[in-house]
Amino acid sequence: MRKLDIAIVGGSIAGCSAAILLTRAGHDVHVYERSQGGLVGRGGGIGTPRSVLDSLMEQDIVDDDLPHLNPPLVPLLVRTAAAPRQGHSTWQMPGGLAVFHWTSLWRSLRRRVPDDRYHQAAHVVDAVDASTGRVELTFNDGSTTDADLVVWTDGYQSLGRQLMFPDVELSYRGYMLWRGLLPEQQMESVGVLESSLVRMFYPTMPGNMVAYLVPGEDGSSVAGERVVNWAAYIALAEEDLASFMVDRSGMPRMGTIPPGALRSDEEDRLKKLMAAELPDVYSDMVARTTNTSVQLIYTARVPGYHRGRMCLAGDAGSVAQPFTGSGVFKGYNNVSGLLDSLERHDDLDAALGEWGPSQVRLADGLLALGEQMEDAFIWNPLDLAESDAEATEAWWKDAFTFPEGFSLEATDNRKT
């Protein structure tokens, strides 16, 4: 493959990963990010399979000392009358995730993209395949540029997906993700979070919550300087979205309410809800948290990953539920697969034709896993209060089919 002029639309995790890999392969890459400033502070704690983080480190895509933690256990908890404070658990899964602060990951990636190739406040509003065989991008100020190939990495509300597959719509899943970050020093004790990523199920309503420690935004993993990341999945009827998705200033929001913008009456209501459902240790953690945020949960399936000389990567393609923990994995594999196809072909259309179907298969496997997890975690969970260790483990292993090369577990003792 000749060396290509490649435009990447979106400068977050997937966009920076794409820029690093494609630049190292010798292509001429420019990244266009619509935000005015850096993306620091945009996210909280996230996780990815340890094998994925190991691959990123081995290839020097991220720093080999990227601050992260490896919780070895994933206990499944529920509040019971006999265990109202710590919660009741009969089984814990061997953990297979590395967890870290979103900002630390983005900073590590961003440092590897030259400043003269990363264009901030570059808001792409249109793209067309030109008669020259190149793709022409139009920006909100009316200026244009063109490229041999455009890679859209602009997230779950992707303009690229809308342009390439206008019939594909986001599907609301009937619940939201309410998130918070609490400095460890504001907790009386981190307890089991010292060695665990805890998943808690609600005894009386659909949904569940996860909580785990991550290094602080400054990268410190020292005890007392870490941050507790919690994320609560809570059912929210579609007919209630319009009234709920109004921020503190009275502005309607689409999809997300950023930290600090959730109305105080809604934040208080959600905290009271968690006080009734969670073990006291964790409801207290939620109660102490300020500046919480909301993300509505959507999925989308794309029939292809390229059209003409444009392609999709990360959440710009198919969108799976976040509890799959597949975001970093998907973006990395989309781009590394594209690079492999480019290296095997001397014709761009042939390379894209080979690459696209493989990415649809990958995405479909993650979407299937997301639906399994949605059923098990939200709508039809096991009654943990009445289950023993053997039954709980059997339920877990029967509930999920992990796609090839991807797992949240630390062992290979799973259905494949």
Side-chain angles (χ1 to χ4, degrees):
M1 175 67 63
R2 64 184 175 84
K3 302 310 176 185
L4 302 171
D5 296 329
I6 299 178
I8 297 172
V9 182
S12 188
I13 302 295
C16 287
S17 299
I20 294 165
L21 288 168
L22 292 167
T23 298
R24 288 179 182 173
H27 300 291
D28 188 13
V29 177
H30 286 266
V31 179
Y32 300 101
E33 166 55 44
R34 64 181 294 175
S35 67
Q36 297 283 339
L39 302 183
V40 172
R42 292 295 184 92
I46 60 171
T48 195
R50 292 176 194 167
S51 59
V52 175
L53 184 59
D54 288 343
S55 295
L56 295 176
M57 290 177 171
E58 290 166 2
Q59 297 179 55
D60 191 34
I61 297 172
V62 299
D63 301 337
D64 59 10
D65 60 352
L66 178 78
H68 69 282
L69 300 173
N70 297 302
L73 300 171
V74 182
L76 307 184
L77 294 179
V78 66
R79 179 190 176 103
T80 64
R85 179 162 176 78
Q86 299 288 346
H88 168 75
S89 176
T90 59
W91 180 74
Q92 48 193 9
M93 182 189 78
L97 284 179
V99 295
F100 37 83
H101 203 291
W102 188 96
T103 298
S104 295
L105 178 64
W106 181 79
R107 281 173 170 160
S108 186
L109 292 164
R110 176 64 184 86
R111 282 195 294 269
R112 288 164 170 77
V113 182
D115 289 344
D116 63 346
R117 297 306 173 107
Y118 190 98
H119 308 281
Q120 292 182 178
H123 184 184
V124 175
V125 296
D126 197 13
V128 294
D129 286 308
S131 59
T132 59
R134 291 165 68 87
V135 180
E136 182 176 280
L137 296 176
T138 301
F139 299 91
N140 64 336
D141 63 359
S143 63
T144 62
T145 190
D146 61 1
D148 294 315
L149 177 67
V150 172
V151 182
W152 295 90
T153 60
D154 52 338
Y156 81 101
Q157 293 181 319
S158 171
L159 171 63
R161 187 197 312 121
Q162 295 171 34
L163 294 173
M164 294 166 61
F165 303 106
D167 293 335
V168 173
E169 296 182 352
L170 291 168
S171 173
Y172 176 59
R173 306 304 296 182
Y175 57 97
M176 65 175 178
L177 181 58
W178 181 42
R179 302 192 62 163
L181 292 170
L182 181 67
E184 178 187 358
Q185 62 192 10
Q186 295 183 25
M187 293 187 66
E188 294 180 4
S189 170
V190 296
V192 297
L193 294 181
E194 189 65 61
S195 61
S196 301
L197 182 154
V198 177
R199 184 173 294 278
M200 289 155 278
F201 291 78
Y202 310 143
T204 70
M205 68 179 196
N208 76 115
M209 189 177 104
V210 294
Y212 52 90
L213 286 165
V214 294
E217 191 169 329
D218 62 358
S220 176
S221 298
V222 175
E225 298 179 3
R226 299 167 297 185
V227 176
V228 178
N229 179 87
W230 58 263
Y233 294 90
I234 301 172
L236 178 64
E238 190 163 8
E239 57 265 29
D240 295 331
L241 291 180
S243 59
F244 179 81
M245 294 298 292
V246 177
D247 68 16
R248 290 190 178 188
S249 67
M251 178 187 299
R253 295 279 185 165
M254 296 293 295
T256 60
I257 300 177
L262 180 63
R263 297 199 316 272
S264 58
D265 62 321
E266 287 292 355
E267 188 169 77
D268 291 343
R269 181 183 68 84
L270 292 173
K271 288 182 176 182
K272 289 178 181 177
L273 194 63
M274 292 296 97
E277 298 290 336
L278 296 177
D280 293 344
V281 167
Y282 302 100
S283 63
D284 178 69
M285 177 184 70
V286 171
R288 292 170 184 258
T289 305
T290 59
N291 296 325
T292 61
S293 63
V294 165
Q295 172 188 349
L296 300 183
I297 304 303
Y298 295 95
T299 59
R301 182 189 182 275
V302 293
Y305 264 70
H306 81 96
R307 176 163 287 182
R309 299 294 176 85
M310 295 190 285
C311 58
L312 305 171
D315 281 342
S318 290
V319 181
Q321 294 86 339
F323 39 54
T324 61
S326 62
V328 177
F329 169 84
K330 181 172 56 177
Y332 168 72
N333 277 273
N334 290 156
V335 178
S336 61
L338 174 61
L339 186 57
D340 289 344
S341 292
L342 291 175
E343 292 178 345
R344 279 195 294 269
H345 294 272
D346 57 10
D347 178 78
L348 178 56
D349 294 322
L352 294 174
E354 174 191 81
W355 169 78
S358 66
Q359 303 313 301
V360 171
R361 291 191 294 272
L362 172 68
D364 285 351
L366 294 171
L367 282 168
L369 175 63
E371 291 187 359
Q372 292 170 351
M373 288 185 164
E374 187 175 83
D375 184 65
F377 291 166
I378 307 294
W379 308 120
N380 295 294
L382 180 70
D383 185 354
L384 291 173
E386 299 297 328
S387 181
D388 60 18
E390 183 178 359
T392 304
E393 182 176 8
W395 165 80
W396 175 274
K397 295 192 179 300
D398 189 57
F400 312 119
T401 301
F402 291 97
E404 183 178 356
F406 180 84
S407 177
L408 305 182
E409 301 180 23
T411 72
D412 290 328
N413 185 24
R414 64 182 188 276
K415 185 171 66 174
T416 58

